[in-house]
Amino acid sequence: MQRLIGLPAIALGLCFGLAAVPSSAAEPDPDTAGWQQAIDSFIEEMAGKHQFSAAALRWVFAQVKPRPGIIRAMTAPATARPWYEFRAAHVNRSLIEGGVSFWRRHAAALARARREYGVPEEIVVATIGIETRYGRHTGSFRVLDALATLAFQHPPRAEFFRRELEEYLLLARESGFDPLGVRGSYAGAIGIPQFLPSSYRAYAVDFDRDGKRDLVASAADAIGSVAHYYHRFGWKEGEAATVPASVGGDLDTAGAGTIRPDTPVGELRRRGITPLAPLPDDALAAFFTVEGESGPEYWIGLNNFYVVTRYNRSINYAMAVLELADELHAAMRRPGPAPRPRTPEGARRSGETPGEGSAAPGPAPGPPRGSYCRAKATRWSSSSRMPIRSPMAWL
């Protein structure tokens, strides 16, 4: 059985340990009938469906309170900002320099992930950079509080987060950690790559081969898990992800914004959407727009773009991952410190390939990569160590 490290651990078959509960003095009194009824119903379901101890779960949930700040954060996500603002916050000098440093420190794991899963180093590094600044900011919310708040106090996505809460408790039981001791994002995402519990259970891998799937403390496990995730969702090695497009003057773009590539490029051409790079007519694509500083930008998204949106279903997020990946690939080909990023309107539209214009860029190892968002995209083809005081067990 695989276990996690970097998390407060308790032995399977024993009771839940005591965990410190953050003060809720600044939060409103959450004692509402709806909250308690929802918890009671969930506990009954977990006991019947997964044979949890209802008494143990009641003990745990007695220490959980809804956090209104989590609801506020969910209703105003950062990915909802205009693209040009989101890009400036996520494709910048700090993230490029940090990404180069992370890549150099973990080059062996990144290269092995590429060999085993076919996902380029820059895509993995960019994803981790945008998620947690390369593991520096993994979240301060107690995961159980976050998931319970969203499952029982946020009706628009209650069903989704109720399932994630179920997955989280199963993950805790399987891995032997204290569910009250883990912190993550306001949405309940965990560790360096910010996996939700269902993704943790399904896609996390023990990439450092120490017998544990540890996304909290093991950069190697995080690297392998991100690559494995993209591989499982269908990343195609050597293919472009997006291509800029031009549109006819009378084109109705009201429907732009879809992300599933299910329209042949030939059909897009007949509608007045012209890819600014060679694409075969039978390639499946999506047409979308983003908000640039000077007006709308038009893009064609291909399979690999869609795969990145499986990590976060935001066009802005996927575009930032791909553009940061381009910048990281270029920076790794240049000697010396990481360069400043190119302007948003510059190289990615001019068709400049990574390394052009730099001092002695040198060839990149392996097949050419790093043109995910450019016109020249020809490659389409222990807090719980206190004495245990509850006699209740998991099972």
Side-chain angles (χ1 to χ4, degrees), residues 257-281:
T258 61
I259 55 178
R260 183 182 294 275
D262 53 11
T263 304
V265 169
E267 174 61 25
L268 294 178
R269 286 192 173 101
R270 285 189 289 273
R271 289 167 48 189
I273 301 166
T274 303
L276 300 181
L279 288 175
D281 281 349

Side-chain angles (χ1 to χ4, degrees), residues 297-318:
E297 300 177 8
Y298 304 109
W299 289 88
I300 291 173
L302 304 168
N303 173 77
N304 285 349
F305 171 78
Y306 182 70
V307 170
V308 179
T309 67
R310 300 307 84 197
Y311 207 104
N312 184 306
R313 300 187 182 192
S314 159
I315 289 174
N316 281 352
Y317 177 91

